[in-house]
Amino acid sequence: MEEHTNGRRNFLIGVSSLAGLLLAKSASAGMETIGAKPKNPPSARSKNLLDRGILQGKTQIPEVMVETHEGHTLHLYADLIKDKVVTMNYMSIENETNFPISKTLMEVARLLGPRLGTEVHMISMTSDPHNDTPERLRAFAEKIGAPSGWHFVRATDQDSAMVSARLYRHGRSPDPRTQLDLVHYGNAAVGLWAAFPATIQPDDAALRIMSVMNGKPSKGPLKQAGPRILGEPGPGFNNRVANI
């Protein structure tokens, strides 16, 4: 139990503190080689952490280069996030044994069905880019049966730090007792973002994701969220209406 707790604490510290730990590294530090191949994917250019010049869109997502499990080199924002409804989380193959965040997301993907890859896309960025090569990420995706529309990606240490900083840093010091993996989701076209814990029930996660999808204009009367009027049929709280 102690080993399990320590492992999760180390994983969470590694994700939420990634930006601070890597500020002193240069972009070239992520270019260590194994034989003739780069250990990390190439970065577009050397950048300062959260340089406003590389923040894109209404929610200012850093534009970094990523390698996908399918062997493509893409722009994180322009190719995978811009004008899309997406989910985004950190993971690593090694930690999936004890903290299977991808197992939960597989259930979410199943509930989204044909919407995945068309109306919504999923992005899982490895927090261990030195070990999680595109080949290993592809093998992992195949192992769990990840459907089309779910992208497993890796970036250089510095680029990953910038993304981590936008997703996890805030004005307050984190409570060291907090142990929580988050999945971010949002509609990049309108700048609407939120997050849910990795321990969420998959059906609730799917409902939350669908709540930010582009909808159709309502031709009927508006429905107000909140406690339902006494005596009216239906759930006690009128929150979201979605068909899974």
Side-chain angles (χ1 to χ4, degrees), residues 145-193:
S148 176
W150 187 353
H151 309 280
F152 291 85
V153 305
R154 72 167 188 164
T156 65
D157 286 338
Q158 187 185 35
D159 286 352
S160 185
M162 287 191 295
V163 176
S164 173
R166 282 302 289 158
L167 295 179
Y168 295 99
R169 291 183 71 178
H170 49 75
R172 298 184 300 275
S173 298
D175 186 338
R177 297 168 297 178
T178 300
Q179 297 184 3
L180 183 67
D181 295 341
L182 290 178
V183 177
H184 293 78
Y185 66 100
N187 187 323
V190 298
L192 177 63
W193 289 84

Side-chain angles (χ1 to χ4, degrees), residues 188-244:
V190 298
L192 177 63
W193 289 84
F196 53 76
T199 54
I200 194 173
Q201 292 297 316
D203 56 347
D204 189 9
L207 284 171
R208 295 192 189 198
I209 295 167
M210 285 188 287
S211 74
V212 302
M213 286 183 179
N214 299 319
K216 297 179 180 179
S218 176
K219 297 181 180 179
L222 296 177
K223 294 182 179 180
Q224 181 177 353
R228 191 177 296 277
I229 297 176
L230 292 178
E232 283 191 355
F237 194 91
N238 184 19
N239 189 3
R240 301 182 182 92
V241 177
N243 295 319
I244 300 181

Side-chain angles (χ1 to χ4, degrees), residues 11-58:
F11 172 66
L12 293 171
I13 291 173
V15 170
S16 62
S17 302
L18 189 58
L21 290 174
L22 298 173
L23 280 174
K25 286 194 175 184
S26 65
S28 62
M31 293 296 295
E32 300 173 18
T33 58
I34 300 179
K37 293 185 178 180
K39 202 171 184 182
N40 265 338
S43 177
R45 64 181 184 273
S46 180
K47 321 173 190 71
N48 293 323
L49 183 69
L50 295 187
D51 181 347
R52 291 188 180 276
I54 53 89
L55 297 180
Q56 305 290 317
K58 294 183 179 180

Side-chain angles (χ1 to χ4, degrees), residues 108-128:
V108 176
R110 182 182 64 80
L111 292 169
L112 291 173
R115 293 180 175 93
L116 184 59
T118 55
E119 299 178 59
V120 61
H121 300 262
M122 298 169 66
I123 305 167
S124 293
M125 179 175 285
T126 177
S127 57
D128 185 16

